[in-house]
Amino acid sequence: MAEIVAERYTGASIKRSEDPRILTGAGRYVDDIKLPGMLHAAFVRSPLAHGRVLSVDVSAARALPGVVAVLTGADLEAMTVQAPDPLLALFTTGGPTAEFTLLATDKVRFVGDPVAVVIAESRYLAEDGCELADVEYDELPPVMNAAFALDPSSPPLFANLGDNIARPHSRNEFGDVAGTFADADRVVDFHIDVHRHQNVPMEGRACVASWDADLAAMTVYAATQSVHITRNGVATRLGIEGDKIRVLAGDIGGSFGLKIGASREELAVAAASRHLGRPVKWVEDRGENLTASGQAREESFDVRAAVSNDGDLLGLDVKMVIDTGAYPGMGTMFPDIMQAMIPGPYKLAALGFESTAAITNKASYVAYRGPWASETFVRERVLDLIAKDLGLDPVGIRLRNLAARTDPPALMITGRPLVGVTSKESLERVAEMVDYPAFRRRQVEARAQGRYLGIGVATFIEAAPGPRGPDGALGSESMRLRLEEDGIVALFTGQMPHGQSHQTTLAQIAADEFGVPFEQVRVVVGDSDVVPFGLTGGSRSATMTGGVALHGARELKAKVLDFAAHLIEVSAQDLLITDGNVWVRGDPASAIAVSEVARRAASGQFGAEVDAALEVEATYDGGQGGWSGGTHCAIVEVDVETGIVKVERYAAVEDCGALINPAVVEGQIRGGVAQGIGAVLLERSAYGEDGSFQSATFMDYLMPTTCDVPRIEIEHLETVPLDADVNFRGVGEGGMIVAPPTVVNAIEDALSPFGVRIYEQHLPPARILELIAAADSGQ
Amino acid sequence: MADISLTVNGATHTGSPEVRKTLADFLRDDLNLTGTHVGCEHGVCGACTVIVDGRAVRSCLMLAVQAAGSEVTTIEGLATDGGLGTLQQAMWDSHSFQCGFCTPGFVMQATALLSDHPDADEQQIREALSGNICRCTGYQSIIDGVLLAAQRNRTLRNRER
Amino acid sequence: MKLPPVEYEAPTTVAEAIDLLAEYSDEASVLAGGQSLIPLLALRLARPEVLIDINGIDELSGVSATDGWVAIGAMTREYVAEESEIVADAVPLLAAALPFIGHEAIRSRGTIGGSLAHADPAAELPAVARALDAEFVVRGPSGERVIPAAQWFEGYLTTSRRPDELLLEVRFPAAGQGTGVSFQEVARRHGDFAMVGLAVSLGLSGGMISDARLAFAGVSDVPVRAAAAEDLLVGERPSAELFEEAARRATGDIDPPADLHGSSDYRKTVAAAIVRRGLRAAADNAARGSD
């Protein structure tokens, strides 16, 4: 008999099990769901940024044939329980709590603020109904920038707060800030702005809520990054027990941090379903998605840098203001992470960090892929600006300032150990990849011909999940693993993939560890009745879920072998599982299919002395964890007559630990880089000073296309393993964190003959020409 | 309301859509062909792309009634005998997609491209697909899938000679 | 964004269409390719009572050349014009501009007449029509008229077509010997509307510019002929200095609109750049062609 050989999946670009349905139109997204009696929702939304609601008359809307119900903000207050946002409920920052109603009742606070919901036989009719709603407003002066919001004279958006401060000013110091600045050769000041832009998944927010009056229970078909957080949000708002709500999620068309918990609209839809006793579907359209779903990244930074004449970045003192929009979102949370991360992999000796969060009449600040990314933008911009002032090369200044990899590891001034960080290697390697000296020569020749090429690098680390370190915990991830009766190894995880390919990557790990073919593993997601608590976010799943899959598969295998030992009457230590068969070491002829073992276990013929329940509940604490990170490099050409920027070449050297599936890893990196290029060259969530929202269509909010994103060359560094088993680290957010400074650094380099200095992230063509003109005239 | 009859994926269908209903919504709601996705409803993102009378079009920019008498192909109509066509297989092998929401539009537009320009090079592919938006991939894997399909088609054609 | 309720008519002859236009007047919108109109409806920015769908009027399609003119039926799809050898040979400026229109899927449905009747000043075809002094043939209840491009474009999205008239065809003069063309566009991304665009046609004879036509897209509420620059160019030899001066004259008194994508000053600066580039390219084209 031929020798049974174990296949090895981990580390290979195994084809995705998701793709056959994706490629044939058989995916099941929320809008594909049709239930008997299902109705459709559309929202009446405020056209004003700030106003008092004087009256809401929906009688004409209610009378429209095909409209089944119209619920105003007041109606919804009467049928729901006041509750904090389910996602925010997980994080408390000790700030004040704004009081507001589920849909707007007394005030509207941003363009698009929902005021009423129309439920009709079709979305077409629901929108017709919305037009018939007659809402009278008393317009109030809008608060359209953080500076005004922090001014005590600005009209408070929330009566109970009295001002427009979402989180009061705080300051922390690390190291000897005063001494470092006093002793430094030079102290330089910058003001750096990051502009408002947003997630824009191709599928917007969507849900179908279906209330079963007989069971007094609800099923929610959701597009969400966590079925449990959504469930908790719906349960709390509807005032019912969590076990009366089942949240199901199938295929999800992207999220990037947007679809976590349950939005005000989704909660209104759930309440409407209960009220009507019929399923109600809401699928936000692109206008709603751009206007109302939430936006991100609008932060400003006053930065002081303490620098030596040789280019050492000794200290930073940073004051940031974050524009969190109107309704509480995650904006108050991220300054803490930015503070912790801003030293990056560098030898920074002192850090002062202050932050204030302002409330404005804009859509809420939501999590967007690498929400703390501005810390990398600020730091990598500052390094280039200092390099320019001192006449140093950008690669050189980074090499000078990177912390060496020591044992014990260097500590970031904010506490975490820089264990296993390969920043220096990534920087050196990316410079090799693009042949940095050759580019500098080419740049000189091009300038002589009136062409402006530039090169930029930026280095980052990401806590994906970060090292275990002295202050310990990385959190915990659960998974249930079960050998099904038909021999399938089923993994029940709270991870909720929306492009991350978990159904492939986790199966790879479990297949290898357990000893079955890849096709014999099924990853079960998206059912709050069935999967343990989980959230896909924070680039944690590679380590935490990969780790629990590995260790859980190992535990399950041990259990299965213990049972098989009874069947075969040998010692479990003499048994192996490979390629879907259990066999006695050294005796291939003994092989029994795993499916047969499973069938026997399920047959119920064993007494209490034999554990035939082939299932484990595994948890994983992250092991040693670890950093992800790397260095990216962009080469751009700027047309100085039109301001058009072309990214000619883009290279990334990444260290995300051991790779589960290289193609999946590279796809994540490239997608993040594309978003970073989009942020710099194309994307802006634009508000006018008068409160109007100006980027509500794809004609104005510009997404990067195939002609904007070049080939992205990626090399993976051989990582420093920290853990005996689990060295997978997350990679989902890194591209979006480091691409913006990479591209901006390249643009500034291209424009250096003009003396341009860049202190902002959004550089559309008109802005490029303004910067050149301003530098020309010596401003 | 208007009574219409059209051929979709080789089968005749009739319906009475409201005049204002787009072809995209008609396919999804009336014919239960939910493979065609709606991403913007103003003709920019390309997720709704289908093939009408041999040309790739944005089905959100056509009224259903305008497709009366036409031959329409959607992503559900590409699979041969329940398997995958060359393009789909090449995209699978190339890890072309992640969340999958933009996928039907890309597959249909690329199908039209390869039909008209079987030897399209990378630049031509980029331009031809520049009207389809993907948020997940950065496009490279999609382009690689199309290039691989073109190469495989060439090999098949050469074998047939 | 779903379309609002609307009535619908689908005439199969020009006469039927005109009767409907006469009946509904400005309560009607003509539905040609739909690539501009349907988004407006979906965004509920346009609220016509009735759509008059002319896609079923076969006689409105076709490209033909007669007597030094190329006649293009209003319903001719942009991709058909793009693939037309007649257009490539005889109206090279149109051939140069067509690939800039949106994306392939847009050009599958969009029509020559539809784009020109919609008259978006940032679109490509209006600039081409204005540069070449194209002629617009309309027919209404009182008969047919031919409207020169200079009178066709009246304002933002506004033409001199009366509500009861149907655009039948657009006629472009065939390019003469020694013609060189260029279509320049500065847009945020490939396929987007122009922030500023320029349609240029130069005729060279014996090394001298005998004919100069320049029309901007995106600098006003209509396409704009750069008459002062044209006057300068005719009778001169191509040179960088000449083109530089032409750029100054072309942009001297334009006052482009400002929007999210660019300020007025930005558009003006870029307009000058594309005049220089467009003239250089057209002159090179012409020189090659006359070899």
Side-chain angles (χ1 to χ4, degrees):
Chain A
M1 182 176 182
E3 194 182 293
I4 296 162
V5 173
E7 277 215 49
R8 180 84 197 151
Y9 300 105
T10 306
S13 294
I14 302 298
K15 292 206 318 252
R16 299 196 325 158
S17 50
E18 295 87 336
D19 281 338
R21 67 179 188 271
I22 298 292
L23 289 164
T24 57
R28 216 164 104 98
Y29 301 82
V30 170
D31 196 21
D32 302 338
I33 291 165
K34 291 172 189 156
L35 301 177
M38 189 172 76
L39 298 167
H40 300 259
F43 286 87
V44 179
R45 294 184 181 275
S46 170
L48 301 175
H50 196 194
R52 263 186 283 275
V53 179
L54 299 176
S55 65
V56 181
D57 179 359
V58 296
S59 51
R62 284 192 176 126
L64 186 68
V67 170
V68 170
V70 181
L71 302 174
T72 64
D75 293 331
L76 283 160
E77 285 312 289
M79 59 176 76
T80 59
V81 174
Q82 267 264 349
D85 178 89
L87 178 59
L88 297 188
L90 297 179
F91 310 103
T92 45
T93 56
T97 318
E99 279 172 19
F100 57 95
T101 50
L102 184 61
L103 296 194
T105 47
D106 57 328
K107 281 190 80 171
V108 290
R109 298 180 176 91
F110 71 100
V111 171
D113 200 349
V115 174
V117 61
V118 177
I119 317 286
E121 301 285 351
S122 72
R123 174 72 187 217
Y124 285 77
L125 289 166
E127 290 190 18
D128 294 345
C130 288
E131 289 190 321
L132 295 175
D134 186 5
V135 185
E136 276 200 45
Y137 301 96
D138 176 24
E139 194 164 358
L140 294 170
V143 181
M144 297 316 294
N145 57 71
F148 185 39
L150 297 178
D151 183 330
S153 73
S154 64
L157 268 65
F158 297 94
N160 77 299
L161 292 187
D163 62 22
N164 291 315
I165 297 176
R167 185 181 157 184
H169 172 266
S170 65
R171 178 175 172 85
N172 291 298
E173 292 199 359
F174 306 86
D176 177 9
V177 177
T180 301
F181 275 79
D183 295 343
D185 290 335
R186 37 174 91 200
V187 172
V188 273
D189 291 277
F190 311 105
H191 177 87
I192 295 177
D193 287 314
V194 181
H195 63 297
R196 208 171 191 82
H197 48 291
Q198 57 195 106
N199 317 53
V200 200
M202 293 317 295
E203 175 206 46
R205 297 171 300 162
C207 70
V208 178
S210 183
W211 176 255
D212 183 326
D214 295 331
L215 299 175
M218 174 163 290
T219 305
V220 178
Y221 300 84
T224 176
Q225 294 178 219
S226 166
V227 290
H228 285 89
I229 300 178
T230 298
R231 187 196 66 178
N232 296 345
V234 175
T236 314
R237 179 62 68 164
L238 263 49
I240 57 186
E241 292 304 307
D243 61 4
K244 291 297 197 181
I245 310 228
R246 183 178 188 189
V247 177
L248 297 172
D251 291 306
I252 299 168
S255 178
F256 313 105
L258 177 65
K259 302 168 183 171
I260 307 180
S263 63
R264 294 160 71 210
E265 289 96 332
E266 288 160 280
L267 294 171
V269 166
S273 174
R274 180 172 63 173
H275 175 68
L276 295 171
R278 289 174 68 172
V280 179
K281 173 190 273 188
W282 174 63
V283 176
E284 82 174 342
D285 64 30
R286 187 54 60 189
E288 295 178 276
N289 175 255
L290 291 170
T291 307
S293 68
Q295 296 148 359
R297 296 283 198 279
E298 186 167 9
E299 298 128 19
S300 64
F301 300 85
D302 286 300
V303 183
R304 314 197 79 206
V307 182
S308 81
N309 285 332
D310 297 320
D312 301 297
L313 179 61
L314 303 165
L316 285 173
D317 202 324
V318 179
K319 295 178 174 41
M320 83 170 275
V321 176
I322 178 168
D323 183 328
T324 64
Y327 293 93
M330 298 195 72
T332 50
M333 222 193 104
F334 297 119
D336 292 333
I337 308 181
M338 294 191 218
Q339 172 184 272
M341 290 298 298
I342 197 166
Y346 298 95
K347 289 181 286 196
L348 196 72
L351 174 68
F353 196 98
E354 303 178 29
S355 72
T356 317
I359 293 171
T360 59
N361 289 116
K362 300 175 186 171
S364 292
Y365 188 111
V366 297
Y368 175 31
R369 199 173 201 171
W372 58 88
S374 295
E375 54 80 20
T376 290
F377 183 72
V378 167
R379 182 192 62 245
E380 297 299 308
R381 270 285 59 231
V382 164
L383 282 167
D384 264 29
L385 289 164
I386 293 168
K388 280 203 178 56
D389 280 348
L390 296 175
L392 298 174
D393 177 83
V395 173
I397 197 174
R398 285 171 172 81
L399 288 173
R400 189 184 176 89
N401 280 283
L402 284 172
R405 192 169 60 250
T406 54
D407 190 6
L411 295 181
M412 293 168 76
I413 194 66
T414 47
R416 290 186 95 161
L418 291 172
V419 56
V421 170
T422 52
S423 302
K424 178 169 178 296
E425 288 88 335
S426 69
L427 178 59
E428 287 171 338
R429 181 57 200 144
V430 88
E432 268 177 0
M433 270 172 87
V434 302
D435 195 346
Y436 192 86
F439 174 80
R440 287 294 185 202
R441 291 191 294 272
R442 186 177 150 227
Q443 183 180 44
V444 169
E445 286 161 20
R447 281 186 193 152
Q449 294 165 1
R451 290 177 62 208
Y452 295 89
L453 274 53
I455 190 164
V457 295
T459 300
F460 80 109
I461 53 174
E462 184 192 358
R468 173 161 294 283
D471 58 343
L474 295 175
S476 161
E477 179 83 2
S478 303
M479 179 181 280
R480 186 162 75 257
L481 297 91
R482 185 166 72 210
L483 181 60
E484 305 279 5
E485 193 175 327
D486 57 0
I488 296 283
V489 176
L491 276 51
F492 298 86
T493 170
Q495 288 301 309
M496 195 58 245
H498 43 283
Q500 289 83 353
S501 314
H502 290 143
Q503 288 173 306
T504 300
T505 55
L506 298 175
Q508 288 173 251
I509 294 170
D512 277 342
E513 195 61 34
F514 190 86
V516 292
F518 171 76
E519 295 73 23
Q520 205 167 328
V521 180
R522 180 171 60 235
V523 179
V524 179
V525 301
D527 183 340
S528 63
D529 276 2
V530 154
V531 302
F533 180 88
L535 162 69
T536 296
S539 305
R540 291 168 52 83
S541 72
T543 309
M544 304 304 293
T545 323
V548 78
L550 187 150
H551 287 285
R554 194 174 285 177
E555 280 177 50
L556 181 65
K557 176 176 169 176
K559 220 176 191 193
V560 169
L561 289 181
D562 279 347
F563 171 76
H566 283 284
L567 271 188
I568 307 175
E569 289 171 355
V570 295
S571 161
Q573 290 151 281
D574 294 330
L575 290 175
L576 303 172
I577 308 181
T578 58
D579 201 36
N581 293 297
V582 180
W583 51 295
V584 180
R585 193 187 309 271
D587 181 12
S590 68
I592 308 178
V594 164
S595 55
E596 176 59 21
V597 173
R599 195 190 63 76
R600 297 288 303 277
S603 67
Q605 63 186 121
F606 296 92
E609 76 285 358
V610 175
D611 185 358
L614 303 181
E615 179 170 325
V616 301
E617 305 267 353
T619 59
Y620 182 60
D621 67 0
Q624 290 305 306
W627 294 103
S628 284
T631 303
H632 288 205
C633 177
I635 292 174
V636 303
E637 177 160 4
V638 182
D639 181 334
V640 300
E641 288 192 317
T642 62
I644 298 283
V645 175
K646 181 119 184 93
V647 184
E648 176 192 288
R649 186 172 180 189
Y650 198 101
V653 177
E654 292 264 329
D655 176 356
C656 58
L659 306 181
I660 305 169
N661 186 316
V664 168
V665 167
E666 293 179 0
Q668 290 291 309
I669 295 169
R670 293 194 176 107
V673 170
Q675 288 175 313
I677 292 173
V680 175
L681 299 181
L682 294 167
E683 300 178 41
R684 185 164 78 97
S685 312
Y687 284 93
E689 282 307 306
D690 61 354
S692 58
F693 185 61
Q694 299 168 347
S695 43
T697 73
F698 273 158
M699 274 81 102
D700 294 305
Y701 194 93
L702 303 178
M703 302 280 282
T705 71
T706 53
C707 291
D708 301 301
V709 185
R711 283 211 164 256
I712 294 161
E713 305 156 51
I714 301 175
E715 280 194 15
H716 303 282
L717 282 179
E718 200 171 308
T719 195
V720 176
L722 301 176
D723 188 272
D725 293 300
V726 180
N727 284 289
F728 318 119
R729 302 193 203 127
V731 75
E733 289 166 292
M736 211 293 165
I737 291 171
V738 75
T742 305
V743 175
V744 173
N745 288 354
I747 293 172
E748 188 183 77
D749 185 66
L751 298 179
S752 55
F754 299 95
V756 166
R757 295 280 184 272
I758 301 179
Y759 304 103
E760 62 209 89
Q761 194 179 106
H762 189 55
L763 299 170
R767 185 67 187 137
I768 298 273
L769 292 197
E770 279 173 13
L771 287 168
I772 294 173
D776 268 351
S777 62
Q779 286 163 35
Chain B
M1 299 288 191
D3 289 331
I4 60 169
S5 172
L6 66 164
T7 307
V8 183
N9 300 334
T12 308
H13 291 275
T14 56
S16 297
E18 253 195 293
V19 150
R20 61 169 166 165
K21 186 169 241 184
T22 61
L23 177 59
D25 285 340
F26 179 75
L27 292 168
R28 291 180 51 76
D29 298 342
D30 297 42
L31 302 188
N32 286 314
L33 293 167
T34 57
T36 301
H37 295 159
V38 170
C40 77
E41 295 183 299
H42 50 285
V44 179
C45 79
C48 68
T49 305
V50 299
I51 295 176
V52 176
D53 295 330
R55 300 286 307 181
V57 301
R58 295 167 194 273
S59 62
C60 75
L61 295 188
M62 269 185 82
L63 304 178
V65 295
Q66 292 187 293
S70 285
E71 284 197 26
V72 179
T73 309
T74 71
I75 187 162
E76 293 96 332
L78 290 186
T80 52
D81 316 314
L84 298 181
T86 306
L87 175 63
Q88 290 156 306
Q89 182 67 47
M91 286 174 151
W92 192 11
D93 294 337
S94 303
H95 280 258
S96 289
F97 298 105
Q98 293 177 30
C99 85
F101 199 77
C102 71
T103 301
F106 271 98
V107 172
M108 300 315 289
Q109 189 69 58
T111 296
L113 169 69
L114 291 179
S115 168
D116 294 338
H117 304 281
D119 295 313
D121 63 18
E122 174 157 351
Q123 189 50 40
Q124 287 172 299
I125 294 170
R126 281 186 183 269
E127 279 182 26
L129 298 180
S130 62
N132 288 72
I133 299 176
C134 170
R135 196 49 160 171
C136 293
T137 67
Y139 303 108
Q140 187 166 329
S141 55
I142 299 174
I143 291 157
D144 285 342
V146 179
L147 283 167
L148 182 60
Q151 182 197 308
R152 288 179 176 170
N153 282 335
R154 268 193 294 280
T155 307
L156 283 174
R157 284 199 304 275
N158 289 340
R159 273 204 210 121
E160 280 157 18
R161 296 212 179 104
Chain C
M1 303 100 132
K2 303 302 185 188
L3 281 68
V6 69
E7 300 287 315
Y8 177 82
E9 299 283 354
T12 54
T13 67
V14 170
E16 259 187 80
I18 290 167
D19 284 344
L20 287 163
L21 285 170
E23 185 186 337
Y24 288 105
S25 189
D26 51 22
E27 300 296 313
S29 285
V30 175
L31 176 59
Q35 306 301 281
S36 301
L37 181 58
I38 294 187
L40 288 177
L41 288 165
L43 291 165
R44 301 200 174 202
L45 294 175
R47 309 295 295 251
E49 274 216 25
V50 60
L51 293 175
I52 299 175
D53 183 340
I54 59 171
N55 283 269
I57 307 178
D58 294 333
E59 63 191 283
L60 288 177
S61 292
V63 180
S64 59
T66 37
D67 259 355
W69 288 83
V70 173
I72 303 182
M75 274 304 299
T76 306
R77 303 285 177 194
E78 283 155 358
Y79 85 90
V80 169
E82 209 180 336
E83 291 172 359
S84 159
E85 281 184 31
I86 297 174
V87 170
D89 285 338
V91 200
L93 183 54
L94 178 59
L98 283 161
F100 284 90
I101 300 175
H103 302 279
E104 285 199 27
I106 300 286
R107 302 198 293 276
S108 287
R109 295 287 301 169
T111 63
I112 301 293
S115 172
L116 288 165
H118 183 64
D120 188 323
E124 293 79 4
L125 297 187
V128 170
R130 192 69 183 85
L132 297 180
D133 290 314
E135 293 183 348
F136 294 77
V137 182
V138 300
R139 190 185 298 162
S142 42
E144 219 165 87
R145 324 189 268 146
V146 179
I147 304 169
Q151 272 112 65
W152 176 254
F153 301 101
E154 286 195 336
Y156 182 68
L157 304 185
T158 313
T159 66
S160 54
R161 177 186 71 90
R162 291 194 278 262
D164 60 359
E165 291 177 316
L166 183 68
L167 176 64
L168 300 184
E169 71 179 24
V170 186
R171 298 176 186 159
F172 296 86
Q177 265 275 35
T179 298
V181 302
S182 174
F183 192 87
Q184 298 282 323
E185 183 166 295
V186 178
R188 296 295 299 274
R189 299 168 304 178
H190 179 80
D192 283 346
F193 279 106
M195 285 189 287
V196 191
L198 181 72
V200 185
S201 178
L202 291 181
L204 281 192
S205 174
M208 310 270 277
I209 298 170
S210 55
D211 184 55
R213 297 163 170 279
L214 289 79
F216 283 116
V219 305
S220 180
D221 57 354
V222 290
V224 172
R225 284 285 288 271
E230 291 171 352
D231 289 343
L232 170 74
L233 290 163
V234 172
E236 301 292 334
R237 286 184 183 284
S239 74
E241 297 73 28
L242 178 70
F243 295 161
E244 181 71 49
E245 180 59 27
R248 264 194 290 278
R249 293 201 189 185
T251 56
D253 52 16
I254 58 170
D255 187 23
D259 67 10
L260 199 59
H261 303 301
S263 64
S264 183
D265 276 344
Y266 171 75
R267 285 185 155 88
K268 207 159 161 160
T269 304
V270 173
I274 62 174
V275 169
R276 290 191 295 272
R277 295 178 186 188
L279 288 173
R280 202 159 49 232
D284 286 348
N285 248 269
R288 263 202 302 278
S290 58
D291 285 344

